[in-house]
Amino acid sequence: MMPALEFRDVAKTFTLHLRGGVQLPVMAGADLAVHPGECVVLGGPSGAGKSSLLKMAYGNYRCDRGQIWVRDGEDRIDVAAASPRQVLALRRRTISYVSQFLRVIPRVGAREVVASAGREGGLPAELALARAEELLSRLNLPERLWDLPPATFSGGEQQRVNIARGLIAERPILLLDEPTASLDAQNRAVVVELIRARQAAGAALLGIFHDTDVREAVATRVVDVTAFAQNRAA
């Protein structure tokens, strides 16, 4: 089966301009494939490059070398070489990303934040609104908060909005950067159920989970990214 997401010989180095242009190599020779129905979890210590891999797949970071292939329907797109227009198109129809932090337009209510992500993913307006309400309810966000801007919420409440926004459109690739880090046990269990449902539907998931119980509950396999970090010295 063709991978939904594949990294080939990917390298990334950061330039610290405030430190006189010091070069900070993160990884080199990263090879990884994620197939439909898999939840591949990235392991390794902080600073090993786990979040950088996700951000390169989403097009937030450029890689210095290599290819990042995304299956987009019948086509394959190399995110590393894609134009900004192509990256934005992939985000609309193919790749969802749940980051550690919620960044949204101020003064827009939580329900609309989630529903608008659904519309951007191709859902009709009424269905997007219904799914937004379903996800917010399932993630135990009180209905009295739905029309309030998430900037007024606690960290855990904001993250539940973030998760709902990332899951609403059911794109075939889902990137997860510590989605349960600020959640209590009850809501972590809900997220596990939602992730398993996306796997069962055939989505390809690549994620970072520092919570051991969550990682063990969702991972089909764990990839230690320190192997990629070691390659940078080769």
Side-chain angles (χ1 to χ4, degrees), residues 136-148:
L136 292 174
S137 178
R138 190 166 178 187
L139 287 161
N140 299 301
L141 190 76
E143 189 171 350
R144 67 178 185 277
L145 300 180
W146 290 0
D147 292 320
L148 298 179

Side-chain angles (χ1 to χ4, degrees), residues 72-157:
D72 182 32
E74 298 299 318
D75 298 323
R76 296 184 79 209
I77 305 294
D78 179 10
V79 175
S83 68
R85 186 184 298 273
Q86 287 176 306
V87 171
L88 291 174
L90 286 173
R91 292 177 182 180
R92 283 194 302 271
R93 62 180 177 249
T94 305
I95 308 175
S96 289
Y97 178 46
V98 178
S99 69
Q100 299 178 50
F101 308 103
L102 178 66
R103 296 181 177 88
V104 293
I105 299 173
R107 296 181 294 278
V108 175
R111 173 166 38 195
E112 176 55 24
V113 166
V114 179
S116 65
R119 294 194 300 272
E120 290 168 7
L123 296 179
E126 289 187 5
L127 180 56
L129 184 62
R131 280 198 184 172
E133 293 177 350
E134 177 188 358
L135 282 166
L136 292 174
S137 178
R138 190 166 178 187
L139 287 161
N140 299 301
L141 190 76
E143 189 171 350
R144 67 178 185 277
L145 300 180
W146 290 0
D147 292 320
L148 298 179
T152 65
F153 296 176
S154 70
E157 290 167 342

Side-chain angles (χ1 to χ4, degrees), residues 1 7 28 74 78 103 124 142 146 171 173 185 194 203 211 214 222 234:
M1 180 185 298
F7 299 82
E74 298 299 318
D78 179 10
R103 296 181 177 88
W146 290 0
R171 297 176 179 91
I173 298 174
L194 291 169
D211 186 288
V214 174
V222 178

